[in-house]
Amino acid sequence: MRRIAMSAAITTISVSLVGCGGLGVTGGGDDVSPTKGDDITVGLLLPEKSNPQYERFHHPIIKAKVESLTGGQGRVEYANAEADAAEQARQLQRMINEQVDVILLDPVDAHTIAGGVRKAKEAGIAVIAYDRLAEGPIDAYITFDNELVGGVQGRSLLEALGEDAGISDKIVMMNGSLTDSNAQQFKAGALLALDGKVTIAKSFDTKDWKPQNAEKNMTVAINEIGRNDIKAVYAANDGLAGGVIKALKAAGVTDLPPITGQDAELSAVRRIVTGEQYMSVYKPYRQEAERAAEMAVAKAQGRDIQFDALTRDRVDSSTGKDIPAHLVPVVALTKGNIKDTVITDGMYKLSDICKPQLAADCAAAGLKK
Ligand code: GAL
């Protein structure tokens, strides 16, 4: 069982890795006393659209899995808050009013959504935090191992700087949104790797994970540090990496420093092929989304044995202890393992990545038909 203690605002993490997450449990289950049939409704609340992962992967995969687990009778009621916490609270209230059977919640703001979580519980609706932790009486949590994400990013940055990396090397940290507990874990994991190894000359938290805010922050950093004195940039995800690169190019930087990312966005995979971005973090969304659908259907149908088998990790939040959880592992994505990750897992086809103008870079990276 894995255990992570964290609060939504400030993260102090203690992780003891004893076993690993949930068992692979498929639909049908062996519970003897389900309390509901296949005619269930899963409410799905996702936080934003500036990162393509939600519309391209999370929503369609969860929808398809709920349908396949319920013989086509189950349905998903979906809403995307587009980074507006107040709107997400209204969306959650609408789902309570419609009396959905269970809610998968990926919060814009882990703290302010807690009141809505309490109202759902009072209405007898289970809430499962999806990808990002939510405060309030949630029934379970499924996410990636977010401290591992930060550690992989930090270690990759040092790897890119090479043997002669030293404490005098100035880097910039472009962290995620302060309202997202994942962002605090990414930062904590990265700092565990970077502390004492390089100088963090400027560090920003990026409102709503918006790439345009990262671009503005990076312009400030370039003006203060000097465009040729930034040895690397820790960007917490690919959207922020894109904003950082735009600012560096606008300042006339032609030889980009190593830049990290996360989410294996298609635009970032292309940048990794051309060398503009050093790495991303590959998060098998299908695994996270399908396990979440299984957890939601099992909870809605009262299949406790199946639900327990999927939530063998434990997480503490600032409002709850020993929350049943499922943590999905991640891997660094670099030029060398694009084929073995996002192509082998069917996230992208080779033709999605290797557009004609990337032919030479793709060939050099061993990416050819
Ligand atoms: C985080 C998520 C990351 C990141 C960001 C953007 O919570 O774990 O994948 O991309 O949101 O929405």
Side-chain angles (χ1 to χ4, degrees):
M1 177 189 303
R2 278 179 287 186
R3 166 173 205 77
I4 291 187
M6 57 185 155
S7 71
I10 297 168
T11 300
T12 51
I13 295 174
S14 61
V15 178
S16 57
L17 294 178
V18 176
C20 62
L23 302 171
V25 179
T26 53
D30 50 9
D31 295 6
V32 291
S33 54
T35 54
K36 183 128 187 183
D38 286 334
D39 179 20
I40 58 168
T41 301
V42 175
L44 174 62
L45 294 165
L46 295 180
E48 54 153 285
K49 291 182 178 177
S50 62
N51 285 275
Q53 60 182 291
Y54 301 102
E55 300 289 297
R56 180 165 184 165
F57 300 111
H58 296 287
H59 174 212
I61 293 172
I62 289 170
K63 179 175 182 293
K65 190 66 177 177
V66 167
E67 287 165 356
S68 77
L69 288 168
T70 58
Q73 294 182 59
R75 55 185 291 276
V76 170
E77 177 78 26
Y78 173 51
N80 191 301
E82 301 197 53
D84 180 334
E87 172 56 22
Q88 189 170 61
R90 288 188 289 271
Q91 292 169 346
L92 176 51
Q93 186 57 57
R94 276 200 293 275
M95 291 194 180
I96 295 169
N97 299 342
E98 288 166 13
Q99 296 181 324
V100 298
D101 295 291
V102 61
I103 291 170
L104 288 170
L105 166 64
D106 192 344
V108 174
D109 185 320
H111 178 68
T112 59
I113 202 67
V117 174
R118 271 191 292 277
K119 286 182 191 166
K121 289 299 285 177
E122 286 157 10
I125 300 172
V127 178
I128 297 170
Y130 179 71
D131 196 58
R132 300 180 187 179
L133 185 62
E135 292 182 19
I138 58 174
D139 290 74
Y141 177 39
I142 178 166
T143 189
F144 292 100
D145 191 333
N146 295 312
E147 189 205 3
L148 175 63
V149 168
V152 162
Q153 293 171 317
R155 289 191 294 275
S156 295
L157 189 143
L158 294 174
E159 176 191 83
L161 287 173
E163 291 297 307
D164 52 2
I167 192 66
S168 62
D169 288 339
K170 291 179 182 176
I171 76 156
V172 175
M173 283 194 88
M174 198 61 69
N175 301 293
S177 166
L178 274 176
T179 63
D180 175 2
S181 64
N182 288 0
Q184 314 325 313
Q185 283 189 276
F186 303 147
K187 188 193 302 187
L191 286 173
L192 283 175
L194 296 171
D195 266 350
K197 302 283 193 341
V198 291
T199 294
I200 298 169
K202 286 293 284 184
S203 181
F204 301 89
D205 297 307
T206 311
K207 185 168 175 1
D208 296 336
W209 285 97
K210 288 193 186 303
Q212 55 271 39
N213 293 335
E215 184 180 352
K216 288 183 195 135
N217 291 339
M218 192 63 203
T219 301
V220 168
I222 292 164
N223 293 337
E224 288 190 16
I225 302 167
R227 67 180 192 175
N228 298 320
D229 295 328
I230 297 169
K231 296 298 181 215
V233 181
Y234 166 85
N237 81 346
D238 294 335
L240 305 188
V244 162
I245 290 168
K246 278 179 81 172
L248 286 164
K249 287 183 174 177
V253 174
T254 49
D255 183 15
L256 293 169
I259 298 163
T260 65
Q262 175 187 181
D263 298 326
E265 282 184 22
L266 183 54
S267 56
V269 176
R270 291 187 184 131
R271 290 197 294 264
I272 291 170
V273 170
T274 62
E276 285 196 327
Q277 184 170 327
Y278 181 71
M279 61 80 70
S280 184
V281 176
Y282 173 53
K283 303 165 75 165
Y285 295 130
R286 178 168 295 283
Q287 194 177 337
E288 184 187 42
E290 292 193 341
R291 291 303 80 75
E294 288 170 355
M295 288 163 68
V297 171
K299 179 55 78 173
Q301 293 181 329
R303 295 181 181 277
D304 295 343
I305 296 170
Q306 210 182 0
F307 181 79
D308 294 349
L310 284 161
T311 54
R312 291 168 57 223
D313 298 322
R314 287 294 177 268
V315 162
D316 295 343
S317 77
S318 47
T319 57
K321 290 275 180 231
D322 285 333
I323 299 165
H326 183 106
L327 301 182
V328 183
V330 300
V331 68
L333 177 67
T334 57
K335 202 177 279 191
N337 67 348
I338 291 171
K339 184 179 284 184
D340 296 340
T341 51
V342 293
I343 293 178
T344 300
D345 285 6
M347 193 171 182
Y348 304 123
K349 298 189 296 298
L350 186 67
S351 56
D352 293 328
I353 299 166
C354 295
K355 295 301 181 192
Q357 63 272 30
L358 264 60
D361 289 315
C362 280
L367 294 171
K368 43 187 180 296
K369 290 184 178 49

